[in-house]
Amino acid sequence: MISFNQQSFIQKIQDELNDSDMKSKLNKTLYLDGNPSIELLVKTLGNGTKMTAQDTVPLIIWMFSRYRTNFEECLWNTVSALADRDTTCAMAGGISILCCDENTIPDWTKNVENWKNSKFYEN
């Protein structure tokens, strides 16, 4: 299995793209060294406010490249970007869960509402 660091992972994806807004935003991620604030990430990459792929996918790629081995960290950091959280977290979580360390997947099932008790559930 090939292992990429964060920069190499983003570069590999960027290399597959034609010149576009998406590729331009991903290029900016290559210069976000260290631990950039969520505000800088949103300003640079978007967070789904515009409800377009160009405004969600770059953030998801960055989050996944950074937290791909830790499902819970990937979700918490993605949700902290606010805006279109259901979409961004569905994207980040759907990808992250395939690659993360199984020990990073929390057991939230005990805290989920019993759907059978819902007034909308019919037998």
Side-chain angles (χ1 to χ4, degrees):
M1 181 173 157
I2 298 173
S3 179
F4 294 103
N5 66 27
Q6 184 177 11
Q7 297 257 333
S8 298
F9 180 83
I10 292 170
Q11 184 68 56
K12 183 73 173 158
I13 293 170
Q14 187 187 33
D15 289 347
E16 298 296 322
L17 299 174
N18 294 325
D19 287 339
S20 62
D21 187 35
M22 183 89 61
K23 187 170 186 168
S24 174
K25 284 185 176 184
L26 287 179
N27 187 54
K28 292 175 185 179
T29 68
L30 298 174
Y31 301 98
L32 293 173
D33 292 330
N35 192 22
S37 68
I38 195 66
E39 293 83 8
L40 178 59
L41 287 173
V42 168
K43 184 178 180 179
T44 305
L45 306 175
N47 63 355
T49 301
K50 297 176 184 173
M51 296 195 289
T52 63
Q54 294 85 348
D55 194 48
T56 54
V57 173
L59 177 71
I60 301 314
I61 291 172
W62 191 91
M63 289 293 181
F64 180 67
S65 71
R66 178 87 179 241
Y67 303 106
R68 67 181 168 271
T69 60
N70 191 314
F71 176 76
E72 190 170 12
E73 284 294 313
C74 189
L75 284 181
W76 282 119
N77 282 281
T78 301
V79 80
S80 72
L82 302 177
D84 194 5
R85 293 171 285 188
D86 58 334
T87 300
T88 57
C89 286
M91 294 165 68
I95 298 168
S96 177
I97 202 161
L98 297 173
C99 301
C100 69
D101 179 341
E102 191 174 320
N103 296 327
T104 69
I105 302 170
D107 184 7
W108 291 326
T109 59
K110 295 176 186 123
N111 299 323
V112 176
E113 176 184 356
N114 183 344
W115 58 272
K116 290 182 180 179
N117 293 336
S118 169
K119 66 180 179 179
F120 303 104
Y121 176 73
E122 295 180 13
N123 293 321

